[in-house]
């Protein structure tokens, strides 16, 4: 079933948006959870689905330290996505979460394309070093390269 949200901006313009599948990159930062809240609210209007992804880097096979580092990345991802699932559990929206590997910007765009998402909702900055007045490198990359609407939450 396809549901469309129509917003009356003013009497002369009507904007229509499909909000059935929303992708939200979650890095564990407070801002990424604020973006998740916004996505859940939007999806609630249309009984849509929100997919939260947490992207961890590829780890080259190596010794015990490398394996321990990779295990820690996976455990951290599990904790972040469990928190996101708890967050979403309070809303009346279908929520799916996934841990993926690679570069966050590239993985977000690839997932949006292959998963046929309608929108991407993400924070302007995440756990990186960008200040609150800047846009982070991942957000900038996704915004510039995405073929679907991207909502940046400041």
């Amino acid at each position: 079933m396809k549901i469309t949200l129509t917003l009356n901006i003013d009497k002369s313009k009507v904007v229509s948006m499909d909000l059935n599948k929303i992708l939200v990159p979650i890095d564990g930062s407070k801002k990424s959870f604020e973006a998740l809240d916004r996505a859940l609210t939007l999806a609630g209007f249309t009984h849509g689905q929100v997919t939260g992804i947490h992207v961890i880097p590829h780890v080259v096979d190596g010794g015990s330290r490398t394996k321990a580092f990779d295990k820690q990345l996976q455990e951290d991802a599990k904790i972040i996505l469990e928190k996101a699932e708890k967050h979403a559990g309070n809303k009346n929206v279908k929520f799916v979460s996934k841990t993926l590997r690679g570069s966050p910007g590239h993985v977000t765009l690839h997932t949006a394309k292959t998963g046929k998402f309608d929108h991407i909702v993400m924070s302007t900055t995440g756990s990186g070093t960008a200040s609150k007045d800047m846009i982070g490198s991942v957000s900038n990359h996704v915004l510039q390269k995405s073929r679907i609407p991207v909502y940046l939450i400041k």
Side-chain angles (χ1 to χ4, degrees):
M1 172 182 8
K2 183 175 182 177
I3 298 174
T4 302
L5 175 67
T6 303
L7 302 172
N8 290 316
I9 304 298
D10 63 34
K11 293 184 194 256
S12 64
K13 296 179 185 176
V14 175
V15 177
S16 180
M17 297 183 288
D18 292 326
L19 292 168
N20 295 312
K21 288 184 75 179
I22 301 173
L23 181 63
V24 183
I26 304 168
D27 64 5
S29 68
K30 180 180 174 186
K31 288 291 183 187
S32 69
F33 282 98
E34 289 174 14
L36 176 60
D37 281 337
R38 296 288 178 94
L40 292 166
T41 300
L42 288 171
F45 292 130
T46 60
H47 305 289
Q49 174 181 313
V50 174
T51 299
I53 60 170
H54 180 74
V55 182
I56 59 176
H58 289 288
V59 177
V60 179
D61 288 337
S64 60
R65 284 182 159 177
T66 305
K67 288 178 184 172
F69 175 66
D70 189 50
K71 184 178 179 184
Q72 187 63 52
L73 287 172
Q74 291 178 43
E75 288 173 4
D76 290 349
K78 184 178 178 187
I79 291 167
I80 289 167
L81 292 178
E82 284 174 352
K83 181 178 175 184
E85 288 171 8
K86 230 181 241 184
H87 218 65
N90 300 335
K91 316 287 184 190
N92 192 18
V93 173
K94 183 176 179 187
F95 180 75
V96 177
S97 65
K98 299 177 184 179
T99 300
L100 303 171
R101 288 194 182 263
S103 168
H106 293 288
V107 170
T108 299
L109 292 169
H110 178 75
T111 303
K113 183 178 179 181
T114 59
K116 298 182 180 170
F117 286 88
D118 302 318
H119 294 80
I120 300 170
V121 177
M122 63 190 302
S123 59
T124 54
T125 60
S127 60
T129 58
S131 75
K132 67 180 180 177
D133 296 328
M134 298 173 66
I135 183 169
S137 60
V138 174
S139 301
N140 185 49
H141 179 77
V142 171
L143 184 62
Q144 297 301 319
K145 303 288 184 181
S146 179
R147 293 181 185 236
I148 61 172
V150 177
Y151 295 94
L152 295 178
I153 308 303
K154 184 173 180 180

